[in-house]
Amino acid sequence: VPMGAILSGFVAAGGYYLGARVLGHRPSRVLLLNMVVVSVFTFFAIYWLSYALVKFDGVTARDVMPFGSYLNIVLRQSSIEFSVHAHRVGKPIELGAWGYAYAALQIVGFAFGGWAVFTHLSDLPYCDTCGKYLVRKGRQSRYSTDTEGLTAISQAVAAQFAASNPAGAIAAHAQFGGRDKGEEYVQLMSTLELKMCPVCESNWLGYSAQRLSGSNSEELEGLGCSMSCPGKVELAV
């Protein structure tokens, strides 16, 4: 697994991530293509910088050969080594023609890094009409150790969502558990989060449940749900 290439792909797509978050605009499929292309281009840019800047006896590779020839030499002379618990096993193995396959695997890693950034951005709540990311307007959290009670409130909230009744979901959720964490090490947290589109001011209400164990939290799968809320919605703490 080319973890270095994947992390480099993350970094290469980082500018798009910051731009999307700062401007609040959800990326399009065209931007996905740009992010992947930039991530792949970064792979070749790394080799080109070595080709153009690294000197041997005062001479760069750029002075004596075209970039394609340099890349061919570097890839064919690539080598890999194996280690167990940071201890090298055997001698490095020169890849030869397999260097191209290894480079292709790295390119896939770079592209995957860009795709992963886009996927994360696409999963964030956004306005279907404006394409803008939603901003948090309020949050209501309740704590309990009652597993059956958490299941019941999750079902009740989901039923109110299905009936397009955000006020009913908020009122029902406010009656569950307590506002403050207790002294128990393992607890359950039930959360309603209200977000709003900064352009058209439409609302979005989302529900989630987590298991808290000390300072760690674990999302409880299958209990989350959300709904769009036309009109004014208020979420009491």
Side-chain angles (χ1 to χ4, degrees), residues 10-74:
F10 285 145
V11 174
Y16 288 108
Y17 176 84
L18 291 176
R21 297 300 286 147
V22 170
L23 298 177
H25 197 78
R26 185 173 183 263
S28 64
R29 294 289 178 178
V30 174
L31 187 57
L32 168 61
L33 178 61
N34 288 339
M35 293 170 72
V36 172
V37 168
V38 167
S39 297
V40 173
F41 174 78
T42 303
F43 168 83
F44 291 100
I46 291 172
Y47 281 100
W48 188 89
L49 288 173
S50 174
Y51 164 75
L53 300 178
V54 177
K55 292 185 178 182
F56 301 93
D57 295 328
V59 179
T60 64
R62 182 174 57 176
D63 297 329
V64 296
M65 68 180 71
F67 178 62
S69 299
Y70 170 81
L71 192 59
N72 176 60
I73 294 172
V74 171

Side-chain angles (χ1 to χ4, degrees), residues 181-219:
K181 294 182 182 179
E183 297 181 355
E184 294 83 357
Y185 182 78
V186 178
Q187 296 187 75
L188 303 171
M189 182 173 72
S190 178
T191 303
L192 279 177
E193 189 170 30
L194 181 63
K195 294 188 175 184
M196 180 185 71
C197 173
V199 177
C200 67
E201 297 187 352
S202 61
N203 293 289
W204 174 92
L205 189 63
Y207 174 79
S208 62
Q210 296 85 29
R211 178 181 288 107
L212 307 180
S213 180
S215 60
N216 299 319
S217 64
E218 175 191 358
E219 189 83 16

Side-chain angles (χ1 to χ4, degrees), residues 56-121:
F56 301 93
D57 295 328
V59 179
T60 64
R62 182 174 57 176
D63 297 329
V64 296
M65 68 180 71
F67 178 62
S69 299
Y70 170 81
L71 192 59
N72 176 60
I73 294 172
V74 171
L75 294 182
R76 294 182 71 89
Q77 291 184 352
S78 297
S79 62
I80 58 174
E81 60 182 20
F82 301 92
S83 62
V84 177
H85 301 299
H87 296 289
R88 184 182 299 174
V89 178
K91 296 181 179 180
I93 302 173
E94 189 168 300
L95 296 177
W98 284 101
Y100 288 102
Y102 185 65
L105 184 62
Q106 290 181 311
I107 291 174
V108 171
F110 270 80
F112 177 80
W115 175 82
V117 170
F118 174 84
T119 300
H120 173 70
L121 288 171

